[in-house]
Amino acid sequence: MELAGEVVALLVLVAFVAGTVDAVAGGGGLLVVPALLLAGLPPVAALATNKVQAAWGSGGATLAYARAGRVRPLAQWWPALLAALGAGVGALLAARLPVAALEAAIPAVLVGVALYFGLQPRLSDQDRAPRLSQRAFDLAVPPAVGLYDGLLGPGAGSFYMLGFVGLRGHGLLKATAHTKLLNFASNLGSLLVFALVAEPLWLLGLLMGLAQLLGAQVGARLALRVGARVIRPLIVAVSLLLALRLLLF
């Protein structure tokens, strides 16, 4: 499939903006997937191409947070592997299962995420007491959210954030850094499967991925500098916008 040069340039710009927002609060797919569909890509190809470019953005954000000492990827290999496996299974199921019921439920869940982060007065960059052990969390949250990420995708970052903050007691900046690691893992796991069962536009995905990578550096630096003051309102806004998009389009 060939796209006009100006369309490609616009998609690259969208990817940069999405990478910046996604590195802070998730939700980059809110911008990228509709843009790919408007450019004329079939739905499955749009999802697959989105994973090509999203892996660059989430990987770049993870690297930025790791360099700042906010996450240790090698120490988190187990939950990352479970997220990747879950996403791979989700990508396999995407073309085989009716997902209308799940799609109908997701906006309500996203509104709940927005209310949680918007109304919790104690949320900050400080850690709190965990409600779930690390082992139980690893076995439950990464594979479940990864499965959803491969199957549908919108809001996966918000769900990872909710798990880290609500169940593991992480401060918002620490939760954001760990979310980007699992986002990268689930993007990579679903991409490996989509590469076999779908037809992503590799060159377009690479160009958008480079823009995502640059945007992710900007977003990660902003989050590291400002912390909860920018992360919290962006999570609320992104979750509500995702819910509205799923309800109206």
Side-chain angles (χ1 to χ4, degrees), residues 143-155:
V145 179
L147 178 71
Y148 167 76
D149 196 13
L151 184 62
L152 289 174

Side-chain angles (χ1 to χ4, degrees), residues 8-249:
V8 173
L10 183 58
L11 289 173
V12 169
L13 177 60
V14 170
F16 174 81
V17 176
T20 304
V21 174
D22 199 66
V24 180
L30 172 70
L31 300 173
V32 174
V33 174
L36 290 170
L37 292 172
L38 286 173
L41 273 69
V44 176
L47 290 174
T49 304
N50 174 55
K51 291 302 180 184
V52 175
Q53 61 93 39
W56 285 78
S58 55
T62 299
L63 182 60
Y65 286 123
R67 285 176 173 172
R70 296 294 179 172
V71 65
R72 294 186 298 159
L74 293 180
Q76 299 294 317
W77 70 270
W78 173 240
L81 176 61
L82 292 177
L85 291 174
V89 173
L92 282 174
L93 295 176
R96 293 175 171 81
L97 292 180
V99 294
L102 184 57
E103 287 178 330
I106 292 305
V109 178
L110 285 169
V111 170
V113 171
L115 290 174
Y116 176 83
F117 283 100
L119 299 178
Q120 278 279 6
R122 296 178 300 167
L123 292 182
S124 67
D125 289 329
Q126 299 300 314
D127 289 351
R128 295 173 292 115
R131 298 180 179 179
L132 201 65
S133 70
Q134 184 68 59
R135 181 177 178 82
F137 178 87
D138 290 347
L139 291 174
V141 175
V145 179
L147 178 71
Y148 167 76
D149 196 13
L151 184 62
L152 289 174
S158 298
F159 299 148
Y160 281 130
M161 279 289 294
L162 184 62
F164 280 120
V165 173
L167 299 177
R168 288 297 299 154
H170 287 2
L172 290 182
L173 183 55
K174 181 178 179 181
T176 299
H178 283 70
T179 288
K180 287 299 102 186
L181 173 61
L182 295 192
N183 261 152
F184 174 63
S186 57
N187 281 331
L188 194 59
S190 55
L191 173 59
L192 292 174
V193 173
F194 276 130
L196 298 176
V197 303
E199 296 182 357
L201 275 64
W202 291 103
L203 181 57
L204 176 62
L206 176 60
L207 292 173
M208 295 178 69
L210 292 174
Q212 269 263 3
L213 183 61
L214 293 174
Q217 301 307 303
V218 174
R221 289 176 183 177
L222 176 65
L224 288 167
R225 181 177 300 175
V226 184
R229 284 181 294 163
V230 69
I231 294 173
R232 181 172 175 170
L234 270 179
I235 292 173
V236 174
V238 167
S239 297
L240 290 176
L241 286 172
L242 279 168
L244 285 173
R245 176 186 170 270
L246 292 172
L247 284 171
L248 300 177
F249 299 99

